[in-house]
Coordinates of all heavy atoms in Angstrom, one line a residue:
H498 N 2.5 -12.6 -30.6 CA 1.7 -13.7 -31.0 C 1.9 -14.9 -30.2 O 3.0 -15.4 -30.1 CB 2.0 -14.0 -32.5 CG 1.3 -15.2 -33.0 ND1 -0.1 -15.3 -33.1 CD2 1.8 -16.5 -33.3 CE1 -0.4 -16.5 -33.6 NE2 0.7 -17.2 -33.7
P499 N 0.9 -15.4 -29.5 CA 1.0 -16.7 -28.8 C 0.6 -17.8 -29.7 O -0.5 -17.8 -30.3 CB 0.0 -16.5 -27.6 CG -1.0 -15.6 -28.1 CD -0.4 -14.7 -29.2
D500 N 1.5 -18.8 -29.8 CA 1.1 -20.0 -30.6 C -0.1 -20.7 -30.0 O -0.1 -21.0 -28.8 CB 2.3 -21.0 -30.6 CG 2.0 -22.2 -31.5 OD1 1.4 -23.2 -31.0 OD2 2.3 -22.1 -32.7
P501 N -1.2 -20.9 -30.8 CA -2.4 -21.4 -30.2 C -2.3 -22.8 -29.6 O -3.1 -23.2 -28.8 CB -3.4 -21.4 -31.4 CG -2.5 -21.3 -32.6 CD -1.3 -20.6 -32.2
E502 N -1.3 -23.6 -30.1 CA -1.1 -24.9 -29.6 C -0.2 -25.0 -28.3 O -0.5 -25.6 -27.3 CB -0.6 -25.8 -30.7 CG -1.5 -25.9 -31.9 CD -2.8 -26.5 -31.5 OE1 -2.9 -27.4 -30.6 OE2 -3.9 -26.1 -32.1
T503 N 0.9 -24.3 -28.4 CA 1.9 -24.4 -27.4 C 2.0 -23.3 -26.4 O 2.5 -23.5 -25.3 CB 3.3 -24.5 -28.0 OG1 3.7 -23.3 -28.7 CG2 3.4 -25.7 -29.0
G504 N 1.5 -22.1 -26.8 CA 1.6 -21.0 -25.9 C 2.9 -20.2 -26.0 O 3.1 -19.2 -25.4
K505 N 3.8 -20.7 -26.8 CA 5.1 -20.0 -27.1 C 4.7 -18.6 -27.7 O 3.9 -18.5 -28.5 CB 6.0 -20.7 -28.0 CG 6.7 -22.0 -27.5 CD 7.6 -22.6 -28.5 CE 8.3 -23.8 -28.0 NZ 9.2 -24.4 -29.0
M506 N 5.4 -17.6 -27.2 CA 5.2 -16.2 -27.7 C 6.3 -15.7 -28.4 O 7.5 -15.9 -28.1 CB 4.8 -15.3 -26.5 CG 3.5 -15.7 -25.8 SD 2.9 -14.5 -24.6 CE 4.0 -14.8 -23.2
N507 N 6.0 -14.9 -29.5 CA 7.0 -14.1 -30.2 C 6.4 -12.8 -30.6 O 5.2 -12.6 -30.7 CB 7.5 -14.9 -31.4 CG 6.4 -15.1 -32.5 OD1 6.2 -14.2 -33.3 ND2 5.8 -16.2 -32.5
I508 N 7.3 -11.8 -30.8 CA 6.8 -10.5 -31.2 C 6.7 -10.4 -32.7 O 7.6 -10.5 -33.4 CB 7.8 -9.4 -30.7 CG1 7.9 -9.4 -29.1 CG2 7.4 -8.0 -31.2 CD1 8.9 -8.5 -28.5
A509 N 5.4 -10.3 -33.1 CA 5.2 -10.2 -34.6 C 5.6 -8.9 -35.2 O 6.3 -8.9 -36.2 CB 3.7 -10.4 -34.8
F510 N 5.3 -7.8 -34.5 CA 5.8 -6.5 -34.9 C 5.6 -5.5 -33.8 O 4.8 -5.7 -32.9 CB 5.1 -6.1 -36.2 CG 3.6 -6.1 -36.1 CD1 2.9 -5.0 -35.7 CD2 2.9 -7.2 -36.5 CE1 1.5 -5.0 -35.6 CE2 1.5 -7.2 -36.5 CZ 0.8 -6.1 -36.0
Q511 N 6.3 -4.4 -33.9 CA 6.1 -3.2 -33.1 C 5.7 -2.0 -33.9 O 6.1 -1.9 -35.1 CB 7.4 -2.8 -32.3 CG 7.7 -3.8 -31.2 CD 9.0 -3.3 -30.5 OE1 9.8 -2.6 -31.0 NE2 9.1 -3.6 -29.2
I512 N 4.9 -1.1 -33.3 CA 4.7 0.2 -34.0 C 5.3 1.3 -33.1 O 5.1 1.4 -31.9 CB 3.2 0.5 -34.0 CG1 2.4 -0.6 -34.8 CG2 2.9 1.9 -34.7 CD1 0.9 -0.5 -34.9

Side-chain angles (χ1 to χ4, degrees):
H498 175 66
D500 182 272
E502 298 299 324
T503 66
K505 286 183 181 180
M506 293 191 285
N507 67 82
I508 297 176
F510 54 88
Q511 286 183 331
I512 301 175

